Amino acid sequence: MGPNFIANYGEVIAMILFGIGFTNLLLQKNMIKKILGLNIMDTAIYLFLAQKGYIDGRIAPIIVNGVTEAENYINPIPSGLVLTGIVVSVSVTALMLSLTIRMYQRYHTLDLDEVSTQLRKEGL
Amino acid sequence: MDFVCNFPAFSIVLSMMGAIVSSALKGKWAKHLNMVILFIVMLMSLCVLGYTLQTGEFFVYTMGKFPAPWGNEIRAGVLEGLMATFFCIIMILSLLGGRKHFYQDVEEDRRNLYFIMTDLLLGSLLAMVYTNDLFTAYVFVEINTIAACGLIMIIRNGRTIEAAIRYMIMSLLGSGLFLIGICILYDLTGHLLMSSLKESVANLVSQGEYVIPLTMTIALMSVGLAIKSALFPFHAWLPDAYGYSTISSAAMLSSLVSKGYIFLVIKIMYRVIGFDVFANSKIINILFVFGILGMIIGSVSAIKENDIMRMIAFSSVAQIGYIYMGFGLGSQAGMIASVFHIFSHAATKALLFVAAMGLRDASGGSKAFIDLTGAGRRHLWAGIGFTVGGLSMVGIPTFSGFVSKLLFSQAAIFSNHKMLIALIALAVSTILNAIYFMKTIIRIYSAPGEEIAAGTQKCKSDIRYILTIVSFLLLNVLLGMSSTVFYFLIEKGLIMFD
């Protein structure tokens, strides 16, 4: 188990980061910290994908100097997935931030539990 | 390839285009466009259903004509066609039934935004139903989440902001898990297309390789989607999101959005992992346990609830529990029962939301339970709708809820280890259901005291509302009375999945 961990250190780091991001998104009270957690979580997944797509000693799959053999290039699909994933995570982050701004304008706090308390006081 | 084979792709593109065009339209025109699109998509889905029934096999549509391992595919069979048609019908009825409140809740200049979100929701649901590519499914899961968040947010008050944020947080946790599950599975197999994935997974299983990572991916994907569809311990966001949004949103969120994710779980079970592998993994036991807990605890929370909308929302938690319990049985019969319950719950829950809103209208808009006394007498159609919905949820014969309970118990009897627990949970949950629905039905038909009667007025339903309630009633009775047809369709559809 030990040598495997060292050989695949990239994936191990990605998984640890995923855990950090996940717990932050779940447990933090502050909305901004939650959103940071979300981004760490998503980025960890991209790191994992990039690790998986990379093959030692090969270059990015852009044809230069007329070299067309697949053996010279890394796997392009994970890179494509990462790009798609980034688009998704950017839009979700934007939505979360805009929700946070709404919440802050209304309740002057970034703490979700605080908002719940205030709502209970309002009796809505 | 017949012309009908283009319809799934058409319907997805049409609803996406509708969303884009709606952004430039005024509210009224966006509404009309939305309805037209819904009807066209419904007809196209019906054609797909008829076509697949006629040919007796599924068809695959390659996007851009790129062949299998590289291209993106759409795949449609009986179950996909049926599901898409049903989603369209429920969406049309939910929008019609909630229209009056929609006008009250949403300002004139923001109405077209609502229809953008509805179109996007429809498009993403259709894509989740039809797609044959796991990563495409993930992208549309996210679009679905964003659209659903927009539907919650359309009323501007503090409650909906809080509900939307809680909904987004839980959903994002779910989709994070789902995405990492897909990535690990891609890493193991090198495929994203469901048919190729299934072959590779079957190979891995037969050679006994990568047992732990494979179990891990099954767990991550099913738990991720379970969080998004509000399976029991992850349901905290649900009552607020359903209880405080406008009524069409509540109806659509409970009967469509969560069902879309559940349908994706079923697809992953059958078409990615393979049903036998899934049934033999330990993951179904987890789903089973949480399903059972959800059935009981959701109903108990509903009994304690003092707000009728939130009560119905908690009842959704219990019903989602039923569906996952069916998955947990790990047999074909359990799956058929679960799929039938998706239909039955979608038809009933939307009806209950629309009817409950009518009851509230007849009680001066009050949320408190006590003010609803006699509301069924003041608002005839809402009372009828709620009574039928309640009876169906409890499981009275002739309505759809009875058939799904019957199917669940039949499936449970044939399960070796889980029979007793499943049957007891079904019985307990039915009694709990009966407690809170009967309590409400008795209350809305009992004579109100002087104090309450003074603050309320008789409510006349407009024609749209009556039409909605009657259609829901017919749908419910249709599901209940001609269940053999639906059973046949679902069975055929699930066989086509393999």
Side-chain angles (χ1 to χ4, degrees), chain A residues 18-38 41 96 110-114, chain B residues 166 169-170 172-173 234:
Chain A
F18 182 86
I20 292 172
F22 190 85
T23 37
N24 269 299
L25 177 57
L26 186 64
L27 299 176
Q28 283 287 356
K29 279 186 179 162
N30 189 309
M31 278 306 294
I32 301 293
K33 287 183 186 168
K34 264 189 195 299
I35 296 169
L36 285 177
L38 164 72
M41 182 176 86
M96 283 297 275
L110 287 170
D111 184 345
L112 200 54
D113 295 341
E114 176 77 34
Chain B
R166 284 194 192 283
I169 292 168
M170 283 323 267
L172 291 173
L173 290 172
F234 316 112

PDB file of all heavy atoms in Angstrom, chain A residues 18-38 41 96 110-114, chain B residues 166 169-170 172-173 234:
ATOM      1  N   PHE A  18     -10.003  16.873  -2.386  1.00  0.00           N
ATOM      2  CA  PHE A  18     -11.444  16.684  -2.545  1.00  0.00           C
ATOM      3  C   PHE A  18     -12.122  16.608  -1.181  1.00  0.00           C
ATOM      4  O   PHE A  18     -13.151  17.248  -0.940  1.00  0.00           O
ATOM      5  CB  PHE A  18     -11.731  15.403  -3.341  1.00  0.00           C
ATOM      6  CG  PHE A  18     -13.185  15.154  -3.599  1.00  0.00           C
ATOM      7  CD1 PHE A  18     -13.797  15.727  -4.692  1.00  0.00           C
ATOM      8  CD2 PHE A  18     -13.946  14.361  -2.748  1.00  0.00           C
ATOM      9  CE1 PHE A  18     -15.144  15.526  -4.942  1.00  0.00           C
ATOM     10  CE2 PHE A  18     -15.283  14.151  -2.989  1.00  0.00           C
ATOM     11  CZ  PHE A  18     -15.886  14.733  -4.092  1.00  0.00           C
ATOM     12  N   GLY A  19     -11.506  15.845  -0.279  1.00  0.00           N
ATOM     13  CA  GLY A  19     -12.066  15.728   1.070  1.00  0.00           C
ATOM     14  C   GLY A  19     -12.120  17.065   1.773  1.00  0.00           C
ATOM     15  O   GLY A  19     -13.124  17.422   2.401  1.00  0.00           O
ATOM     16  N   ILE A  20     -11.016  17.835   1.641  1.00  0.00           N
ATOM     17  CA  ILE A  20     -10.975  19.153   2.291  1.00  0.00           C
ATOM     18  C   ILE A  20     -12.101  20.040   1.749  1.00  0.00           C
ATOM     19  O   ILE A  20     -12.858  20.656   2.499  1.00  0.00           O
ATOM     20  CB  ILE A  20      -9.602  19.818   2.059  1.00  0.00           C
ATOM     21  CG1 ILE A  20      -8.514  19.052   2.801  1.00  0.00           C
ATOM     22  CG2 ILE A  20      -9.623  21.269   2.516  1.00  0.00           C
ATOM     23  CD1 ILE A  20      -7.116  19.524   2.486  1.00  0.00           C
ATOM     24  N   GLY A  21     -12.209  20.064   0.414  1.00  0.00           N
ATOM     25  CA  GLY A  21     -13.238  20.895  -0.198  1.00  0.00           C
ATOM     26  C   GLY A  21     -14.633  20.470   0.207  1.00  0.00           C
ATOM     27  O   GLY A  21     -15.477  21.289   0.571  1.00  0.00           O
ATOM     28  N   PHE A  22     -14.843  19.159   0.203  1.00  0.00           N
ATOM     29  CA  PHE A  22     -16.169  18.621   0.522  1.00  0.00           C
ATOM     30  C   PHE A  22     -16.586  19.001   1.938  1.00  0.00           C
ATOM     31  O   PHE A  22     -17.687  19.502   2.170  1.00  0.00           O
ATOM     32  CB  PHE A  22     -16.133  17.103   0.360  1.00  0.00           C
ATOM     33  CG  PHE A  22     -17.471  16.432   0.431  1.00  0.00           C
ATOM     34  CD1 PHE A  22     -18.261  16.344  -0.693  1.00  0.00           C
ATOM     35  CD2 PHE A  22     -17.934  15.893   1.615  1.00  0.00           C
ATOM     36  CE1 PHE A  22     -19.491  15.734  -0.641  1.00  0.00           C
ATOM     37  CE2 PHE A  22     -19.170  15.280   1.675  1.00  0.00           C
ATOM     38  CZ  PHE A  22     -19.942  15.203   0.538  1.00  0.00           C
ATOM     39  N   THR A  23     -15.666  18.776   2.894  1.00  0.00           N
ATOM     40  CA  THR A  23     -16.027  19.077   4.286  1.00  0.00           C
ATOM     41  C   THR A  23     -16.229  20.576   4.483  1.00  0.00           C
ATOM     42  O   THR A  23     -17.094  20.988   5.254  1.00  0.00           O
ATOM     43  CB  THR A  23     -14.964  18.567   5.270  1.00  0.00           C
ATOM     44  OG1 THR A  23     -13.686  18.751   4.669  1.00  0.00           O
ATOM     45  CG2 THR A  23     -15.156  17.129   5.586  1.00  0.00           C
ATOM     46  N   ASN A  24     -15.434  21.386   3.780  1.00  0.00           N
ATOM     47  CA  ASN A  24     -15.628  22.830   3.911  1.00  0.00           C
ATOM     48  C   ASN A  24     -16.991  23.257   3.389  1.00  0.00           C
ATOM     49  O   ASN A  24     -17.689  24.048   4.015  1.00  0.00           O
ATOM     50  CB  ASN A  24     -14.544  23.585   3.145  1.00  0.00           C
ATOM     51  CG  ASN A  24     -13.367  23.882   4.026  1.00  0.00           C
ATOM     52  OD1 ASN A  24     -13.504  24.562   5.015  1.00  0.00           O
ATOM     53  ND2 ASN A  24     -12.231  23.322   3.690  1.00  0.00           N
ATOM     54  N   LEU A  25     -17.357  22.720   2.226  1.00  0.00           N
ATOM     55  CA  LEU A  25     -18.660  23.064   1.654  1.00  0.00           C
ATOM     56  C   LEU A  25     -19.785  22.618   2.579  1.00  0.00           C
ATOM     57  O   LEU A  25     -20.794  23.290   2.749  1.00  0.00           O
ATOM     58  CB  LEU A  25     -18.806  22.406   0.278  1.00  0.00           C
ATOM     59  CG  LEU A  25     -20.117  22.581  -0.465  1.00  0.00           C
ATOM     60  CD1 LEU A  25     -20.439  24.045  -0.650  1.00  0.00           C
ATOM     61  CD2 LEU A  25     -20.075  21.903  -1.810  1.00  0.00           C
ATOM     62  N   LEU A  26     -19.563  21.482   3.241  1.00  0.00           N
ATOM     63  CA  LEU A  26     -20.625  20.947   4.093  1.00  0.00           C
ATOM     64  C   LEU A  26     -20.692  21.656   5.435  1.00  0.00           C
ATOM     65  O   LEU A  26     -21.770  21.998   5.913  1.00  0.00           O
ATOM     66  CB  LEU A  26     -20.382  19.448   4.300  1.00  0.00           C
ATOM     67  CG  LEU A  26     -21.437  18.650   5.038  1.00  0.00           C
ATOM     68  CD1 LEU A  26     -22.722  18.659   4.254  1.00  0.00           C
ATOM     69  CD2 LEU A  26     -20.976  17.230   5.232  1.00  0.00           C
ATOM     70  N   LEU A  27     -19.520  21.930   6.046  1.00  0.00           N
ATOM     71  CA  LEU A  27     -19.530  22.304   7.464  1.00  0.00           C
ATOM     72  C   LEU A  27     -19.296  23.779   7.749  1.00  0.00           C
ATOM     73  O   LEU A  27     -19.670  24.244   8.821  1.00  0.00           O
ATOM     74  CB  LEU A  27     -18.482  21.472   8.216  1.00  0.00           C
ATOM     75  CG  LEU A  27     -18.702  19.961   8.170  1.00  0.00           C
ATOM     76  CD1 LEU A  27     -17.566  19.247   8.864  1.00  0.00           C
ATOM     77  CD2 LEU A  27     -20.013  19.584   8.802  1.00  0.00           C
ATOM     78  N   GLN A  28     -18.641  24.505   6.848  1.00  0.00           N
ATOM     79  CA  GLN A  28     -18.371  25.909   7.145  1.00  0.00           C
ATOM     80  C   GLN A  28     -19.671  26.686   7.337  1.00  0.00           C
ATOM     81  O   GLN A  28     -20.675  26.400   6.676  1.00  0.00           O
ATOM     82  CB  GLN A  28     -17.597  26.558   5.996  1.00  0.00           C
ATOM     83  CG  GLN A  28     -16.142  26.199   5.953  1.00  0.00           C
ATOM     84  CD  GLN A  28     -15.316  26.845   7.030  1.00  0.00           C
ATOM     85  OE1 GLN A  28     -15.830  27.649   7.789  1.00  0.00           O
ATOM     86  NE2 GLN A  28     -14.056  26.484   7.100  1.00  0.00           N
ATOM     87  N   LYS A  29     -19.621  27.687   8.208  1.00  0.00           N
ATOM     88  CA  LYS A  29     -20.821  28.507   8.384  1.00  0.00           C
ATOM     89  C   LYS A  29     -20.825  29.684   7.434  1.00  0.00           C
ATOM     90  O   LYS A  29     -21.869  30.122   6.967  1.00  0.00           O
ATOM     91  CB  LYS A  29     -20.868  29.027   9.819  1.00  0.00           C
ATOM     92  CG  LYS A  29     -21.396  27.992  10.773  1.00  0.00           C
ATOM     93  CD  LYS A  29     -21.565  28.579  12.140  1.00  0.00           C
ATOM     94  CE  LYS A  29     -22.125  27.534  13.079  1.00  0.00           C
ATOM     95  NZ  LYS A  29     -21.918  27.913  14.460  1.00  0.00           N
ATOM     96  N   ASN A  30     -19.631  30.215   7.183  1.00  0.00           N
ATOM     97  CA  ASN A  30     -19.513  31.395   6.334  1.00  0.00           C
ATOM     98  C   ASN A  30     -19.710  31.006   4.864  1.00  0.00           C
ATOM     99  O   ASN A  30     -19.099  30.068   4.377  1.00  0.00           O
ATOM    100  CB  ASN A  30     -18.122  31.974   6.555  1.00  0.00           C
ATOM    101  CG  ASN A  30     -17.964  33.302   5.893  1.00  0.00           C
ATOM    102  OD1 ASN A  30     -18.270  33.437   4.718  1.00  0.00           O
ATOM    103  ND2 ASN A  30     -17.503  34.281   6.633  1.00  0.00           N
ATOM    104  N   MET A  31     -20.564  31.765   4.181  1.00  0.00           N
ATOM    105  CA  MET A  31     -20.883  31.409   2.801  1.00  0.00           C
ATOM    106  C   MET A  31     -19.664  31.473   1.891  1.00  0.00           C
ATOM    107  O   MET A  31     -19.494  30.639   1.004  1.00  0.00           O
ATOM    108  CB  MET A  31     -21.956  32.359   2.260  1.00  0.00           C
ATOM    109  CG  MET A  31     -23.352  31.996   2.642  1.00  0.00           C
ATOM    110  SD  MET A  31     -23.769  30.327   2.200  1.00  0.00           S
ATOM    111  CE  MET A  31     -23.703  30.426   0.433  1.00  0.00           C
ATOM    112  N   ILE A  32     -18.815  32.494   2.082  1.00  0.00           N
ATOM    113  CA  ILE A  32     -17.648  32.624   1.205  1.00  0.00           C
ATOM    114  C   ILE A  32     -16.727  31.428   1.374  1.00  0.00           C
ATOM    115  O   ILE A  32     -16.201  30.879   0.408  1.00  0.00           O
ATOM    116  CB  ILE A  32     -16.892  33.937   1.520  1.00  0.00           C
ATOM    117  CG1 ILE A  32     -17.813  35.146   1.317  1.00  0.00           C
ATOM    118  CG2 ILE A  32     -15.655  34.075   0.668  1.00  0.00           C
ATOM    119  CD1 ILE A  32     -18.223  35.376  -0.111  1.00  0.00           C
ATOM    120  N   LYS A  33     -16.567  30.991   2.643  1.00  0.00           N
ATOM    121  CA  LYS A  33     -15.723  29.817   2.878  1.00  0.00           C
ATOM    122  C   LYS A  33     -16.346  28.572   2.255  1.00  0.00           C
ATOM    123  O   LYS A  33     -15.645  27.705   1.746  1.00  0.00           O
ATOM    124  CB  LYS A  33     -15.507  29.622   4.375  1.00  0.00           C
ATOM    125  CG  LYS A  33     -14.579  30.647   4.968  1.00  0.00           C
ATOM    126  CD  LYS A  33     -14.337  30.361   6.422  1.00  0.00           C
ATOM    127  CE  LYS A  33     -13.528  31.484   7.036  1.00  0.00           C
ATOM    128  NZ  LYS A  33     -13.494  31.399   8.485  1.00  0.00           N
ATOM    129  N   LYS A  34     -17.669  28.498   2.295  1.00  0.00           N
ATOM    130  CA  LYS A  34     -18.359  27.381   1.651  1.00  0.00           C
ATOM    131  C   LYS A  34     -18.042  27.364   0.160  1.00  0.00           C
ATOM    132  O   LYS A  34     -17.756  26.315  -0.425  1.00  0.00           O
ATOM    133  CB  LYS A  34     -19.868  27.529   1.839  1.00  0.00           C
ATOM    134  CG  LYS A  34     -20.443  26.750   3.018  1.00  0.00           C
ATOM    135  CD  LYS A  34     -21.949  26.823   2.928  1.00  0.00           C
ATOM    136  CE  LYS A  34     -22.656  26.404   4.197  1.00  0.00           C
ATOM    137  NZ  LYS A  34     -22.426  25.037   4.631  1.00  0.00           N
ATOM    138  N   ILE A  35     -18.113  28.556  -0.465  1.00  0.00           N
ATOM    139  CA  ILE A  35     -17.883  28.616  -1.906  1.00  0.00           C
ATOM    140  C   ILE A  35     -16.432  28.273  -2.229  1.00  0.00           C
ATOM    141  O   ILE A  35     -16.146  27.594  -3.220  1.00  0.00           O
ATOM    142  CB  ILE A  35     -18.288  30.004  -2.447  1.00  0.00           C
ATOM    143  CG1 ILE A  35     -19.786  30.205  -2.248  1.00  0.00           C
ATOM    144  CG2 ILE A  35     -17.949  30.137  -3.917  1.00  0.00           C
ATOM    145  CD1 ILE A  35     -20.252  31.600  -2.482  1.00  0.00           C
ATOM    146  N   LEU A  36     -15.518  28.700  -1.351  1.00  0.00           N
ATOM    147  CA  LEU A  36     -14.114  28.311  -1.537  1.00  0.00           C
ATOM    148  C   LEU A  36     -13.981  26.789  -1.466  1.00  0.00           C
ATOM    149  O   LEU A  36     -13.273  26.176  -2.264  1.00  0.00           O
ATOM    150  CB  LEU A  36     -13.234  28.961  -0.462  1.00  0.00           C
ATOM    151  CG  LEU A  36     -12.953  30.449  -0.649  1.00  0.00           C
ATOM    152  CD1 LEU A  36     -12.142  30.964   0.520  1.00  0.00           C
ATOM    153  CD2 LEU A  36     -12.205  30.676  -1.942  1.00  0.00           C
ATOM    154  N   GLY A  37     -14.694  26.203  -0.520  1.00  0.00           N
ATOM    155  CA  GLY A  37     -14.693  24.748  -0.407  1.00  0.00           C
ATOM    156  C   GLY A  37     -15.164  24.097  -1.684  1.00  0.00           C
ATOM    157  O   GLY A  37     -14.564  23.135  -2.172  1.00  0.00           O
ATOM    158  N   LEU A  38     -16.249  24.649  -2.248  1.00  0.00           N
ATOM    159  CA  LEU A  38     -16.784  24.124  -3.508  1.00  0.00           C
ATOM    160  C   LEU A  38     -15.709  24.149  -4.588  1.00  0.00           C
ATOM    161  O   LEU A  38     -15.514  23.181  -5.331  1.00  0.00           O
ATOM    162  CB  LEU A  38     -17.995  24.973  -3.923  1.00  0.00           C
ATOM    163  CG  LEU A  38     -18.449  24.836  -5.366  1.00  0.00           C
ATOM    164  CD1 LEU A  38     -19.108  23.502  -5.564  1.00  0.00           C
ATOM    165  CD2 LEU A  38     -19.396  25.948  -5.743  1.00  0.00           C
ATOM    166  N   MET A  41     -13.014  21.591  -4.046  1.00  0.00           N
ATOM    167  CA  MET A  41     -13.527  20.265  -4.377  1.00  0.00           C
ATOM    168  C   MET A  41     -13.488  20.034  -5.888  1.00  0.00           C
ATOM    169  O   MET A  41     -12.981  19.013  -6.367  1.00  0.00           O
ATOM    170  CB  MET A  41     -14.953  20.142  -3.852  1.00  0.00           C
ATOM    171  CG  MET A  41     -15.604  18.815  -4.086  1.00  0.00           C
ATOM    172  SD  MET A  41     -17.223  18.756  -3.316  1.00  0.00           S
ATOM    173  CE  MET A  41     -18.241  19.470  -4.587  1.00  0.00           C
ATOM    174  N   MET A  96     -23.821  30.838  -6.913  1.00  0.00           N
ATOM    175  CA  MET A  96     -23.714  30.837  -5.450  1.00  0.00           C
ATOM    176  C   MET A  96     -23.326  32.213  -4.930  1.00  0.00           C
ATOM    177  O   MET A  96     -23.860  32.692  -3.926  1.00  0.00           O
ATOM    178  CB  MET A  96     -22.664  29.813  -5.003  1.00  0.00           C
ATOM    179  CG  MET A  96     -23.106  28.391  -5.036  1.00  0.00           C
ATOM    180  SD  MET A  96     -24.438  28.066  -3.918  1.00  0.00           S
ATOM    181  CE  MET A  96     -23.536  27.759  -2.425  1.00  0.00           C
ATOM    182  N   LEU A 110     -23.089  36.813   6.562  1.00  0.00           N
ATOM    183  CA  LEU A 110     -22.726  35.753   5.618  1.00  0.00           C
ATOM    184  C   LEU A 110     -22.970  34.379   6.226  1.00  0.00           C
ATOM    185  O   LEU A 110     -22.682  33.370   5.617  1.00  0.00           O
ATOM    186  CB  LEU A 110     -21.257  35.884   5.228  1.00  0.00           C
ATOM    187  CG  LEU A 110     -20.923  37.047   4.286  1.00  0.00           C
ATOM    188  CD1 LEU A 110     -19.434  37.210   4.169  1.00  0.00           C
ATOM    189  CD2 LEU A 110     -21.530  36.812   2.918  1.00  0.00           C
ATOM    190  N   ASP A 111     -23.503  34.368   7.448  1.00  0.00           N
ATOM    191  CA  ASP A 111     -23.690  33.122   8.167  1.00  0.00           C
ATOM    192  C   ASP A 111     -25.104  32.598   7.925  1.00  0.00           C
ATOM    193  O   ASP A 111     -26.089  33.270   8.233  1.00  0.00           O
ATOM    194  CB  ASP A 111     -23.453  33.390   9.660  1.00  0.00           C
ATOM    195  CG  ASP A 111     -23.532  32.129  10.470  1.00  0.00           C
ATOM    196  OD1 ASP A 111     -24.041  31.132   9.938  1.00  0.00           O
ATOM    197  OD2 ASP A 111     -23.095  32.138  11.620  1.00  0.00           O
ATOM    198  N   LEU A 112     -25.176  31.393   7.370  1.00  0.00           N
ATOM    199  CA  LEU A 112     -26.483  30.864   6.992  1.00  0.00           C
ATOM    200  C   LEU A 112     -27.358  30.578   8.214  1.00  0.00           C
ATOM    201  O   LEU A 112     -28.570  30.811   8.188  1.00  0.00           O
ATOM    202  CB  LEU A 112     -26.284  29.589   6.162  1.00  0.00           C
ATOM    203  CG  LEU A 112     -27.443  29.140   5.294  1.00  0.00           C
ATOM    204  CD1 LEU A 112     -27.903  30.251   4.388  1.00  0.00           C
ATOM    205  CD2 LEU A 112     -27.054  27.940   4.475  1.00  0.00           C
ATOM    206  N   ASP A 113     -26.729  30.113   9.294  1.00  0.00           N
ATOM    207  CA  ASP A 113     -27.507  29.822  10.504  1.00  0.00           C
ATOM    208  C   ASP A 113     -28.083  31.098  11.105  1.00  0.00           C
ATOM    209  O   ASP A 113     -29.211  31.122  11.601  1.00  0.00           O
ATOM    210  CB  ASP A 113     -26.637  29.116  11.543  1.00  0.00           C
ATOM    211  CG  ASP A 113     -26.199  27.758  11.049  1.00  0.00           C
ATOM    212  OD1 ASP A 113     -26.855  27.249  10.116  1.00  0.00           O
ATOM    213  OD2 ASP A 113     -25.223  27.212  11.563  1.00  0.00           O
ATOM    214  N   GLU A 114     -27.286  32.161  11.037  1.00  0.00           N
ATOM    215  CA  GLU A 114     -27.735  33.469  11.508  1.00  0.00           C
ATOM    216  C   GLU A 114     -28.995  33.902  10.737  1.00  0.00           C
ATOM    217  O   GLU A 114     -29.956  34.404  11.325  1.00  0.00           O
ATOM    218  CB  GLU A 114     -26.589  34.460  11.289  1.00  0.00           C
ATOM    219  CG  GLU A 114     -26.881  35.896  11.614  1.00  0.00           C
ATOM    220  CD  GLU A 114     -26.857  36.157  13.092  1.00  0.00           C
ATOM    221  OE1 GLU A 114     -26.062  35.512  13.787  1.00  0.00           O
ATOM    222  OE2 GLU A 114     -27.664  36.997  13.544  1.00  0.00           O
TER     223      GLU A 114
ATOM    224  N   ARG B 166     -29.607  26.671   0.624  1.00  0.00           N
ATOM    225  CA  ARG B 166     -29.501  25.319   1.191  1.00  0.00           C
ATOM    226  C   ARG B 166     -29.623  24.258   0.102  1.00  0.00           C
ATOM    227  O   ARG B 166     -28.907  23.252   0.097  1.00  0.00           O
ATOM    228  CB  ARG B 166     -30.579  25.101   2.246  1.00  0.00           C
ATOM    229  CG  ARG B 166     -30.259  25.796   3.543  1.00  0.00           C
ATOM    230  CD  ARG B 166     -31.133  25.317   4.684  1.00  0.00           C
ATOM    231  NE  ARG B 166     -31.004  26.190   5.824  1.00  0.00           N
ATOM    232  CZ  ARG B 166     -29.964  26.167   6.657  1.00  0.00           C
ATOM    233  NH1 ARG B 166     -29.001  25.302   6.483  1.00  0.00           N
ATOM    234  NH2 ARG B 166     -29.907  27.017   7.655  1.00  0.00           N
ATOM    235  N   ILE B 169     -26.351  24.119  -1.877  1.00  0.00           N
ATOM    236  CA  ILE B 169     -25.236  23.487  -1.172  1.00  0.00           C
ATOM    237  C   ILE B 169     -25.369  21.965  -1.224  1.00  0.00           C
ATOM    238  O   ILE B 169     -24.441  21.252  -1.601  1.00  0.00           O
ATOM    239  CB  ILE B 169     -25.172  23.978   0.289  1.00  0.00           C
ATOM    240  CG1 ILE B 169     -24.780  25.449   0.315  1.00  0.00           C
ATOM    241  CG2 ILE B 169     -24.184  23.160   1.085  1.00  0.00           C
ATOM    242  CD1 ILE B 169     -24.968  26.106   1.647  1.00  0.00           C
ATOM    243  N   MET B 170     -26.571  21.463  -0.895  1.00  0.00           N
ATOM    244  CA  MET B 170     -26.750  20.015  -0.914  1.00  0.00           C
ATOM    245  C   MET B 170     -26.566  19.462  -2.314  1.00  0.00           C
ATOM    246  O   MET B 170     -25.929  18.430  -2.532  1.00  0.00           O
ATOM    247  CB  MET B 170     -28.140  19.633  -0.389  1.00  0.00           C
ATOM    248  CG  MET B 170     -28.304  19.694   1.101  1.00  0.00           C
ATOM    249  SD  MET B 170     -26.879  19.168   2.016  1.00  0.00           S
ATOM    250  CE  MET B 170     -27.221  17.466   2.293  1.00  0.00           C
ATOM    251  N   LEU B 172     -24.791  20.685  -4.740  1.00  0.00           N
ATOM    252  CA  LEU B 172     -23.404  20.723  -5.196  1.00  0.00           C
ATOM    253  C   LEU B 172     -22.589  19.618  -4.541  1.00  0.00           C
ATOM    254  O   LEU B 172     -21.709  19.022  -5.179  1.00  0.00           O
ATOM    255  CB  LEU B 172     -22.794  22.089  -4.895  1.00  0.00           C
ATOM    256  CG  LEU B 172     -23.393  23.204  -5.740  1.00  0.00           C
ATOM    257  CD1 LEU B 172     -22.883  24.542  -5.287  1.00  0.00           C
ATOM    258  CD2 LEU B 172     -23.062  22.985  -7.194  1.00  0.00           C
ATOM    259  N   LEU B 173     -22.892  19.322  -3.278  1.00  0.00           N
ATOM    260  CA  LEU B 173     -22.227  18.184  -2.636  1.00  0.00           C
ATOM    261  C   LEU B 173     -22.526  16.908  -3.421  1.00  0.00           C
ATOM    262  O   LEU B 173     -21.632  16.114  -3.714  1.00  0.00           O
ATOM    263  CB  LEU B 173     -22.716  18.020  -1.197  1.00  0.00           C
ATOM    264  CG  LEU B 173     -22.275  19.084  -0.199  1.00  0.00           C
ATOM    265  CD1 LEU B 173     -22.995  18.887   1.110  1.00  0.00           C
ATOM    266  CD2 LEU B 173     -20.791  18.995   0.012  1.00  0.00           C
ATOM    267  N   PHE B 234     -30.441  13.432   3.766  1.00  0.00           N
ATOM    268  CA  PHE B 234     -30.032  14.623   3.022  1.00  0.00           C
ATOM    269  C   PHE B 234     -31.231  15.476   2.621  1.00  0.00           C
ATOM    270  O   PHE B 234     -31.191  16.184   1.623  1.00  0.00           O
ATOM    271  CB  PHE B 234     -29.269  14.225   1.763  1.00  0.00           C
ATOM    272  CG  PHE B 234     -28.271  13.145   1.977  1.00  0.00           C
ATOM    273  CD1 PHE B 234     -28.453  11.896   1.421  1.00  0.00           C
ATOM    274  CD2 PHE B 234     -27.152  13.366   2.745  1.00  0.00           C
ATOM    275  CE1 PHE B 234     -27.547  10.888   1.627  1.00  0.00           C
ATOM    276  CE2 PHE B 234     -26.230  12.355   2.960  1.00  0.00           C
ATOM    277  CZ  PHE B 234     -26.430  11.123   2.396  1.00  0.00           C
TER     278      PHE B 234
END
